[in-house]
DNA sequence: CGCAAATTTGAACGTAGTCAACAAGTGTGG
DNA sequence: CCACACTTGTTGACTACGTTCAAATTTGCG
């Protein structure tokens, strides 16, 4: 078993060579703790590092001039965080810890060296970027073209599924770990309306709630209502260059 | 001047070496015409190629079960299209030509070879993926947290700016090239409401319209209303590995 | 010129937002 | 250990932004 969380994530997708595994381990050599609620990077502030999330959950968001906040994405162990530093001097988004976390900071120069030494890993990273892109476009379609109910159902399903990639024991019950206001900022709704929709889903028996824990009672119905598509079974990494 | 549109795009970001330029030229050796209205790739259908758009404009969209369509992004010459083929067997989105187009199809194996031979180019592609990701998250925030007026203003500004990267002579007047229904599908609105908002912007003197051409009269005011952020001036490619 | 697609306009409706008040937790310092 | 403050969740009444439906008008194209 490797020490690298990124290696663990990639190991789910392809079989890593010993050299690749070693390179990924080196990448995560340094660790930095992050207390719940504290910011890893802030919008508009300079940031030249990227990070691998090793423990905990973070979220990234944008603040708008009208005072609103849009939560873009949640990050789980093994996720790459702050990759925008590869293109922009200043971070376009804020990343904060939702729970106590541990991250591995990576200098961009280290990243550059990885791409030179391990072209196959750079191909895998590129593919993972496409997976993230697709997740974002799915969310875009949800915000643009689905009802409040559907967006909330989609969020619940997505978070459960992503928790499951980290912890395989999770089935239909999980700790959401978000306030209703945060659910609203992720789905483009107000906290009040999130509350109404959650209670509606609950009263109709699609979900159950107790103490911040959600149970997906009618998972099939939720999936249908949310137009949720699980794309994990149509992955294809057959084109990668040979490993080093 | 290089024959490769991707090289032209990258040349705006970094100085390409002769070897890199040659590799990019080879990548676009084959060409395929695409008539207006025809599909390059279709959602859920198998697609193992990616493409560089050499001429024309395309759009990509998702269809939802409720009958809705969400336009995700418009592509202009030099853009990479169908990159999801790097991760998924079947395309997660449909790409259709808005005008007559020419694309250069690229086999995934060729792409893999590029990453092996030219690590610096693979770093630039990764950075360009981050630029696209950031554009998508900006759109996500617009759909989730801004008014119909603001979304339309943002769309007009974005399209004008992207047309300008292809054709530097464009200033405040440009051919939108979209029906109001398409503007609606891009912004998450109905065609009827798009019409109302466009006329409102027109009556307030923020834009002018004639024969499908838009003039941004009050560009500063539009930019403010849309919370539009031009990120092109904060790019940073200083971390790239050396060229080959 | 004639037809289909796109735009424009009006009226009624509905989803989600706003405002306000209260309840239930949660944590902290006295 | 309790009191107080603060955050989070819940509910109701009212509002408004954007949708829906329908019809007329204009535009573009074969």
């Amino acid at each position: 078993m490797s020490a690298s969380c990124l290696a663990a994530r990639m190991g789910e997708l392809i079989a890593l060579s010993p050299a690749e595994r070693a390179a990924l381990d080196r990448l995560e050599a340094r660790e930095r703790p992050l207390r719940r609620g504290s910011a890893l990077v802030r919008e508009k502030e300079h940031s030249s590092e990227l990070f691998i999330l090793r423990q905990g959950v973070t979220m990234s968001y944008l603040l708008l001039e009208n005072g609103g906040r849009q939560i873009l994405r949640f990050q789980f162990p093994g996720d790459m965080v702050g990759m925008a530093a590869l293109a922009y001097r200043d971070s376009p988004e804020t990343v904060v810890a939702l729970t106590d976390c541990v991250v591995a900071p990576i200098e961009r120069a280290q990243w550059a060296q990885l791409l030179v030494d391990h072209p196959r890993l750079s191909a895998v990273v590129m593919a993972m970027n496409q997976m993230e892109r697709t997740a974002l476009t799915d969310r875009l379609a949800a915000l643009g073209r689905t009802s409040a109910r559907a967006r909330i159902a989609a969020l619940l399903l997505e978070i459960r599924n992503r928790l499951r990639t980290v912890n395989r024991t999770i089935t239909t019950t999980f700790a959401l770990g978000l306030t209703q206001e945060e659910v609203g900022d992720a789905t483009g709704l107000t906290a009040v309306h999130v509350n109404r929709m959650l209670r509606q889903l609950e009263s109709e028996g699609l979900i159950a709630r107790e103490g911040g824990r959600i149970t997906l009672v009618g998972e099939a119905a939720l999936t249908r209502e949310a137009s949720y598509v699980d794309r994990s079974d149509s992955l294809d990494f057959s084109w990668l260059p040979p490993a080093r």
Side-chain angles (χ1 to χ4, degrees), chain A:
Chain A
M1 195 77 281
S2 164
S4 159
C5 287
L6 185 56
R9 176 66 62 87
M10 288 181 172
E12 302 273 311
L13 304 173
I14 59 161
L16 293 165
S17 74
E20 287 172 338
R21 208 168 272 281
L24 291 172
D25 284 353
R26 256 176 282 124
L27 213 56
E28 285 175 52
R30 287 187 302 148
E31 286 194 350
R32 182 188 307 173
L34 195 64
R35 229 186 314 281
R36 182 189 149 166
S38 64
L40 182 58
V41 299
R42 261 182 269 265
E43 194 175 340
K44 294 183 186 172
E45 287 189 8
H46 179 70
S47 164
S48 63
E49 292 172 315
L50 36 156
F51 305 89
I52 307 295
L53 182 56
R54 291 181 56 81
Q55 279 176 45
V57 182
T58 64
M59 66 175 176
S60 66
Y61 61 82
L62 287 178
L63 293 176
L64 287 95
E65 290 171 18
N66 59 27
R69 172 175 73 164
Q70 177 65 51
I71 295 178
L72 304 170
R73 189 114 172 102
F74 300 99
Q75 290 86 31
F76 297 88
D79 278 342
M80 297 173 272
V81 182
M83 295 280 287
L86 297 184
Y88 298 103
R89 207 173 13 255
D90 304 325
S91 174
E93 67 197 50
T94 300
V95 179
V96 303
L98 283 168
T99 67
D100 288 344
C101 291
V102 176
V103 298
I106 301 173
E107 293 294 333
R108 291 183 303 179
Q110 284 181 271
W111 192 256
Q113 194 58 49
L114 183 77
L115 303 189
V116 171
D117 294 342
H118 295 282
R120 192 173 77 135
L121 292 183
S122 102
V124 175
V125 168
M126 234 172 244
M128 290 171 76
N129 286 163
Q130 290 306 315
M131 294 166 66
E132 163 129 357
R133 195 200 109 108
T134 301
L136 284 173
T137 58
D138 284 343
R139 269 166 66 53
L140 201 65
L143 291 207
R145 287 297 186 218
T146 75
S147 67
R149 261 175 82 94
R151 290 184 223 173
I152 290 175
L155 183 72
L156 296 180
L157 286 164
E158 193 195 334
I159 289 190
R160 197 279 312 264
N161 289 349
R162 296 193 65 201
L163 282 172
R164 192 152 61 179
T165 67
V166 178
N167 176 354
R168 272 299 158 71
T169 68
I170 292 169
T171 55
T172 62
T173 298
F174 61 101
L176 185 54
L178 299 176
T179 65
Q180 294 181 358
E181 178 153 24
E182 286 163 343
V183 173
D185 285 340
T187 53
L189 301 165
T190 57
V192 172
H193 203 57
V194 168
N195 183 276
R196 288 198 255 260
M197 293 298 106
L198 283 173
R199 325 207 91 244
Q200 192 181 89
L201 292 173
E202 187 177 28
S203 73
E204 293 176 16
L206 294 181
I207 64 173
R209 302 183 302 154
E210 56 147 342
R213 296 181 68 80
I214 303 275
T215 302
L216 307 180
V217 181
E219 184 169 342
L222 283 170
T223 303
R224 201 169 337 105
E225 270 216 60
S227 306
Y228 185 83
V229 189
D230 181 5
R231 305 190 185 275
S232 62
D233 54 356
S234 76
L235 292 169
D236 178 3
F237 291 85
S238 61
W239 63 277
L240 304 181
R244 290 224 176 127

